[in-house]
Structure formats: structure tokens, C-alpha cells
């Protein structure tokens, strides 16, 4: 099924994308028609040269070649236009740091995201999801994207900061993150700083959101320093500033950078994944009926799921997995070469920008037949092939794979099960699917849907048998080995 062949027989093709424009390069096409531009590239080779502004860059268009890049982080390190821009926001956090410092940073944060620890977050996620959807008026409309962003902001802020953010501040963080994510993308694909120093409304909105976000995080850190220790990620970070000699203490700036990083990676992508899931389900009634049937069997009466229910939410997990394949929020990433090297037979100089796109890999028909079709059953236990599991990488791969992959998957499954168990979301009459508006993430940014009580929804399709357990996300051989972040 996959185009991958044994290493000794593999023949890579390289090429150059047509239509290089002066000054802006291919950035304008990537910004205006991102998916069409990406889909056009494999016809020119497995590794295709493009231009971002005046800079040369190379897009990887094959899953095996992408793994070659991601499994060699010492040669293909974090960097390039995306991470250069992210670094100005996140500082030297886990996402943007270079390989030399990555291990120590990951070791510091890993305990808060271990699978055993994630189970403790179940009540937190379902409590927030239930409170959110129970406030929706049956028979009314719901701003789904905004609601999912509120949910993911509340969840990740409680994981990181306990109850340090009140409701108005949580809403402000949500809005700031939304403005920052949108502004970052155009600064990545058109890396011409002079354009962004102009006093346009968009530039002012971006700078104001960035400033306010940093101010809020600084205030939370200062307040916590004056108070009691808490068992959350901020507590772990502050304890690390008082290292007892087992490791070098981290600085206050590092505490700040880690919090900004985890907020940014934990809000927008998760919200867009959930919004996409509800939109896709509304357009695919068979998949929706199967989901409802499972929820009615596993969670009768719309009760909130607990940790013991997770292995039985097979169809729910498949919906999340297929959403991540079909509409991956994290859609474009960059690396930079640390030395002169060769990739696909092409010589790349030190400092070269290399890009890969989960969207492109997930829509390759040789890996996923009929890739535009939303089919959660692709991910039923035993169904995905080894090649499909390798091509599916919205969480990246290698030792820079997202630290929060298991948490993100559990959060999405629990939120989807809680909300869909109580409410049914339908597209409004005359609904037209949004044209993709690219940012650092991609997804439905202004989705509004009609809301109905699930009590009026029939479940006509038999549920997945309760005895069938869902694969563990921590097992790299299963459909759960993917998600929405990239660290």
C-alpha cells in the first residue's frame, strides 16, 4: 500500500516547485491556497525545492523520507522560519530549543505527562466538558470553535497552573493565543520583517496579544512564588529553580518559557481537533451513529466517562484518530540542517530549511486510499497497516515527538465522549465548509452549529462490543500513537 520500499532498493526523486515569484517566493501560494499548494508538490518529487521569501527551502513529500529527517535530530534540528518565529514567543522552551538542550528540558517536564499521571486528569477534563455543554441551549446555536478553545484553555491552564486563572483571565488567554497563532503563520511563510513593523491593525493586534500573554504568565508566576507549593506543572518548574544539587537549577525565564510553550501547544491544536471532529461527524451520519451507539452502550444516560471507560471507547478513539488524519491541526513544520548533508540524493548546505507536512503525508493516496473520505473504521484494532502507522504523524516522531501525546489523545477522547453523550451538533441550513485559513495550526476557526439534546437522537447502529478494548496510545504500534502537538 505504501510507496516505501527496502532501503537498498529505494530511489528518491527530487525537483523544484514551479512558479517562483520575486521576493515572496512560494509563500504567497502557501498562504492563499495552502492545501492545493501542498497537494501539487508530490508530482515534482519526494523532495521538492521551494522558496519562502528570498530563502530556499526543501519540502519532504514522502513518509519514509520524513522519518529519515525526524529520526536524525542532530542533523535536522529544530529551526527554520517557523521555529525562528516561535522562539520570539516561546523563548527557549521545549518546542523551540535546539537538540543539545532538549533532553534536560524534557526530563524536567516528563513526569507531568506520563500515562499514569494522565489518568488523574480524567475528572478535570470531563468536569470542564460537561459544564461547557450543559450550558448550551437545546434548540439554539453554539459557537463551536470558540467553545472548544475555551474548553482546551481551561483544561491546560488547570493542568499547568491549578486554579491560578479566574474566568475572565482564562478568556483573555484564549483570545490572546488565537491572535498570536494566526499572526505567527504569515510571519513564517513571508519572513520579511519590514512588513510586520508597519502599524497595521493586524500587526498591532499581534503585538498586543503577545505582550498581554507574557504579562499574564509573569503575574501568575509572581503570585505563586508568594504562596504555597502546588502539585502542578508550575509547582514542578518552581521547585526546579531551587535545585538541591542533583541538577542545575533552572532560571525564572525558563519557567516563563516553558509555561508559554505548553499553553500555546495545548490550546489551539486541541480545540481545532475537537471542532473538526464535530463538523466531520455532522457531515457523515453513519460515523456519527456508530459513535452514538457506542456512547449509549458504554456511558448510558450520558454519564461522564471515567478512567475505566477509556479502553471501551473504541469508536470514539477511532473518530479522534481519523480527525487527526483527515484534518490535522498541526499541518506544517520545519527543521534546519546543522551541517552539510545529503537527503534523497540532494546535497543540502548547513543551515538549509527542510519542511514536512502531516497534512500532505496523511492525504497521500498510496498510504491512505481515498484520503478525502472521513472513515474512522480505518483505525479499528488490527486495521491500520505498518505503513499507515508510520505515515500518520501529527505528533511528529523520534525523540522530539510531543511530550503531551498521550494527554492530548485522552483529553480529546474524553471531551468528545462527554459532549457527544449529551448533545448533538448539526450544521446550520446552508452551511458551507470554511475555506482553510492557515495559521501555525489549521482548522475551522469560526464554526457555528445547531445544538440539540441527545435524548432525541436515535442510535440505530450496533455499538462496538464492550469486550473489545481500544489500543493504548503509549503503544507505538497502535492507532493511538499520534496527536496534535510537536515538541
Amino acid at each position: 500500500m505504501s510507496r516505501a520500499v527496502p532501503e537498498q532498493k529505494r530511489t528518491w526523486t527530487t525537483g523544484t516547485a514551479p512558479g517562483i515569484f520575486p521576493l515572496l517566493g512560494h509563500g504567497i501560494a502557501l498562504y492563499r491556497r495552502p492545501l492545493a499548494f501542498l497537494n501539487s508538490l508530490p508530482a515534482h518529487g519526494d523532495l521538492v525545492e521551494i522558496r519562502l521569501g528570498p530563502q530556499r527551502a526543501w519540502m519532504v513529500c514522502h513518509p519514509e523520507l520524513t522519518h529519515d529527517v525526524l529520526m536524525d535530530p542532530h542533523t535536522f534540528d529544530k529551526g527554520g522560519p517557523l521555529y525562528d518565529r516561535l522562539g520570539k514567543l516561546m523563548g527557549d522552551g521545549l518546542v523551540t530549543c535546539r537538540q543539545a538542550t532538549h533532553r534536560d528540558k524534557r526530563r524536567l517536564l516528563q513526569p507531568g505527562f506520563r500515562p499514569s499521571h494522565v489518568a488523574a486528569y480524567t475528572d478535570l477534563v470531563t468536569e470542564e466538558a460537561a459544564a461547557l455543554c450543559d450550558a448550551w441551549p437545546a434548540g439554539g446555536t453554539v459557537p463551536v470553535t470558540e467553545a472548544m478553545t475555551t474548553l482546551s484553555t481551561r483544561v491546560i491552564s488547570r493542568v499547568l497552573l491549578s486554579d491560578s486563572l479566574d474566568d475572565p483571565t482564562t478568556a483573555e488567554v484564549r483570545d490572546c493565543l488565537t491572535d498570536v497563532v494566526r499572526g505567527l503563520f504569515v510571519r513564517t511563510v513571508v519572513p520579511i520583517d519590514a512588513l510586520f513593523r508597519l502599524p497595521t491593525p493586524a500587526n498591532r493586534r499581534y503585538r498586543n496579544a503577545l505582550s498581554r500573554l507574557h504579562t499574564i504568565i509573569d503575574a501568575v508566576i509572581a503570585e505563586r512564588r508568594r504562596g504555597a507549593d502546588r502539585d502542578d506543572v508550575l509547582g514542578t518548574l518552581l521547585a526546579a529553580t531551587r535545585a538541591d544539587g542533583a541538577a542545575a537549577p533552572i532560571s525564572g525565564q525558563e519557567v516563563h518559557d516553558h509555561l508559554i510553550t505548553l499553553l500555546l501547544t495545548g490550546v489551539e491544536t486541541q480545540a481545532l481537533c475537537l471542532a473538526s471532529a464535530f463538523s466531520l461527524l455532522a457531515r457523515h451520519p453513519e460515523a456519527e451513529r456508530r459513535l452514538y451507539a457506542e456512547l449509549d452502550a458504554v456511558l448510558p444516560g450520558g454519564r461522564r466517562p471515567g478512567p475505566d471507560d477509556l479502553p471501551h471507547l473504541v469508536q470514539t478513539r477511532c473518530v479522534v484518530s481519523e480527525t487527526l488524519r483527515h484534518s490535522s491541526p498541526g499541518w506544517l513544520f520545519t527543521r534546519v540542517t546543522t551541517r552539510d548533508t545529503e537527503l534523497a540524493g540532494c546535497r543540502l548546505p548547513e543551515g538549509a530549511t527542510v519542511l514536512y507536512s502531516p497534512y500532505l503525508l496523511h492525504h497521500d493516496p498510496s498510504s491512505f486510499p481515498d484520503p478525502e473520505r472521513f472513515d474512522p473504521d480505518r483505525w479499528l484494532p488490527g486495521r491500520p497497516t505498518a505503513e499507515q502507522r508510520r505515515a500518520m504523524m501529527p505528533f511528529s516522531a523520534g525523540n522530539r515527538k510531543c511530550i503531551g501525546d498521550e494527554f492530548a489523545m485522552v483529553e480529546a477522547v474524553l471531551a468528545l465522549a462527554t459532549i457527544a453523550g449529551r448533545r448533538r451538533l448539526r450544521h446550520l441550513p446552508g452551511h458551507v465548509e470554511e475555506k482553510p485559513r492557515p495559521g501555525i495550526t489549521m482548522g475551522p476557526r469560526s464554526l457555528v452549529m445547531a445544538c440539540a439534546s441527545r435524548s432525541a437522537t436515535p442510535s440505530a447502529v450496533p455499538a462496538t462490543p464492550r469486550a473489545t478494548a481500544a489500543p493504548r496510545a503509549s503503544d507505538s504500534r497502535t492507532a493511538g500513537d499520534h496527536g496534535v502537538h510537536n515538541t
Side-chain angles (χ1 to χ4, degrees):
M1 184 177 297
S2 169
R3 293 179 302 182
V5 293
E7 180 72 29
Q8 65 271 22
K9 297 181 181 179
R10 185 183 298 159
T11 301
W12 299 114
T13 59
T14 59
T16 301
I20 295 180
F21 304 99
L23 186 63
L24 297 181
H26 292 99
I28 193 69
L30 190 57
Y31 184 75
R32 289 181 175 174
R33 300 180 294 106
L35 304 188
F37 178 73
L38 288 176
N39 285 330
S40 73
L41 295 180
H44 302 285
D46 300 308
L47 182 68
V48 180
E49 182 182 344
I50 64 173
R51 293 292 178 104
L52 297 179
Q55 302 174 7
R56 300 168 72 195
W58 286 263
M59 178 74 75
V60 181
C61 300
H62 190 284
E64 289 302 317
L65 198 59
T66 304
H67 275 277
D68 288 346
V69 170
L70 297 179
M71 300 305 289
D72 185 5
H74 295 284
T75 301
F76 301 95
D77 203 351
K78 286 293 183 77
L82 171 60
Y83 293 102
D84 291 345
R85 299 294 176 179
L86 285 175
K88 294 180 180 180
L89 166 63
M90 298 179 176
D92 194 31
L94 190 63
V95 167
T96 55
C97 70
R98 292 302 179 99
Q99 184 64 23
T101 61
H102 174 257
R103 177 180 295 182
D104 289 342
K105 295 179 188 293
R106 191 175 183 103
R107 283 177 174 172
L108 172 63
L109 295 168
Q110 189 70 64
F113 296 95
R114 289 195 180 113
S116 58
H117 202 91
V118 168
Y121 298 144
T122 299
D123 285 345
L124 183 159
V125 174
T126 59
E127 175 188 327
E128 293 289 354
L132 181 81
C133 70
D134 287 350
W136 293 346
T141 60
V142 174
V144 175
T145 305
E146 180 182 324
M148 295 304 102
T149 305
T150 297
L151 173 61
S152 59
T153 303
R154 291 191 61 83
V155 169
I156 195 62
S157 65
R158 287 181 63 183
V159 170
L160 299 179
L161 312 170
S162 296
D163 55 0
S164 297
L165 300 183
D166 57 21
D167 288 346
T169 306
T170 299
E172 189 173 6
V173 168
R174 176 200 65 199
D175 294 341
C176 288
L177 289 171
T178 299
D179 287 339
V180 166
V181 165
R182 292 176 186 175
L184 274 171
F185 178 69
V186 67
R187 287 163 171 78
T188 297
V189 298
V190 186
I192 302 172
D193 287 342
L195 295 176
F196 307 111
R197 289 194 290 266
L198 299 174
T200 64
N203 285 344
R204 288 197 299 268
R205 185 165 54 248
Y206 175 81
R207 287 193 293 267
N208 290 341
L210 198 58
S211 175
R212 184 60 186 145
L213 190 60
H214 285 296
T215 298
I216 290 171
I217 294 303
D218 283 338
V220 169
I221 294 171
E223 181 181 3
R224 181 67 66 84
R225 287 186 186 277
R226 295 190 296 266
D229 290 342
R230 303 289 293 274
D231 184 19
D232 54 19
V233 172
L234 177 53
T236 299
L237 291 171
L238 290 178
T241 66
R242 307 183 296 268
D244 58 5
I250 67 172
S251 67
Q253 184 62 48
E254 287 178 283
V255 174
H256 177 102
D257 292 349
H258 282 309
L259 292 179
I260 290 286
T261 295
L262 294 170
L263 272 174
L264 184 65
T265 57
V267 172
E268 177 100 351
T269 50
Q270 194 75 330
L272 292 179
C273 174
L274 287 168
S276 293
F278 285 114
S279 180
L280 289 164
L281 286 166
R283 300 201 304 269
H284 296 84
E286 182 72 10
E288 184 185 56
R289 285 194 295 270
R290 289 185 181 277
L291 172 67
Y292 288 157
E294 175 176 89
L295 297 179
D296 290 344
V298 178
L299 306 170
R303 72 169 175 84
R304 285 164 45 186
D308 293 342
D309 296 309
L310 281 169
H312 305 292
L313 294 173
V314 180
Q315 197 71 33
T316 311
R317 193 179 192 95
C318 288
V319 168
V320 173
S321 296
E322 180 66 352
T323 300
L324 292 171
R325 184 203 66 80
H326 185 279
S327 303
S328 178
W331 66 288
L332 186 66
F333 299 102
T334 63
R335 295 292 189 268
V336 65
T337 56
T338 60
R339 59 181 178 84
D340 291 352
T341 190
E342 183 176 295
L343 183 65
C346 179
R347 295 297 301 177
L348 302 181
E350 179 181 351
T353 296
V354 178
L355 301 92
Y356 76 96
S357 168
Y359 168 86
L360 183 61
L361 301 178
H362 298 171
H363 287 258
D364 181 348
S366 62
S367 294
F368 299 100
D370 196 4
E372 297 302 322
R373 180 168 58 94
F374 178 70
D375 180 15
D377 286 356
R378 295 180 200 265
W379 304 105
L380 287 171
R383 287 282 299 273
T385 65
E387 291 81 2
Q388 288 174 327
R389 290 193 293 267
R390 282 179 66 78
M392 181 72 172
M393 58 179 80
F395 259 133
S396 188
N399 71 353
R400 300 303 294 261
K401 185 179 179 184
C402 178
I403 193 172
D405 56 350
E406 172 68 3
F407 176 77
M409 196 70 184
V410 168
E411 180 187 353
V413 169
L414 291 171
L416 179 61
T418 302
I419 296 170
R422 297 163 181 240
R423 295 289 185 269
R424 186 186 192 200
L425 297 175
R426 310 302 302 154
H427 284 302
L428 299 176
H431 168 76
V432 177
E433 188 174 355
E434 283 185 44
K435 180 181 178 180
R437 285 188 288 160
I440 295 299
T441 54
M442 187 177 291
R445 300 191 183 280
S446 55
L447 179 65
V448 177
M449 302 181 76
C451 177
S453 172
R454 268 297 317 285
S455 60
T457 304
S459 295
V461 178
T464 304
R466 186 176 173 87
T468 303
R472 292 176 47 133
S474 55
D475 183 349
S476 63
R477 299 169 298 170
T478 70
D481 189 25
H482 43 260
V484 293
H485 306 310
N486 185 2
T487 60

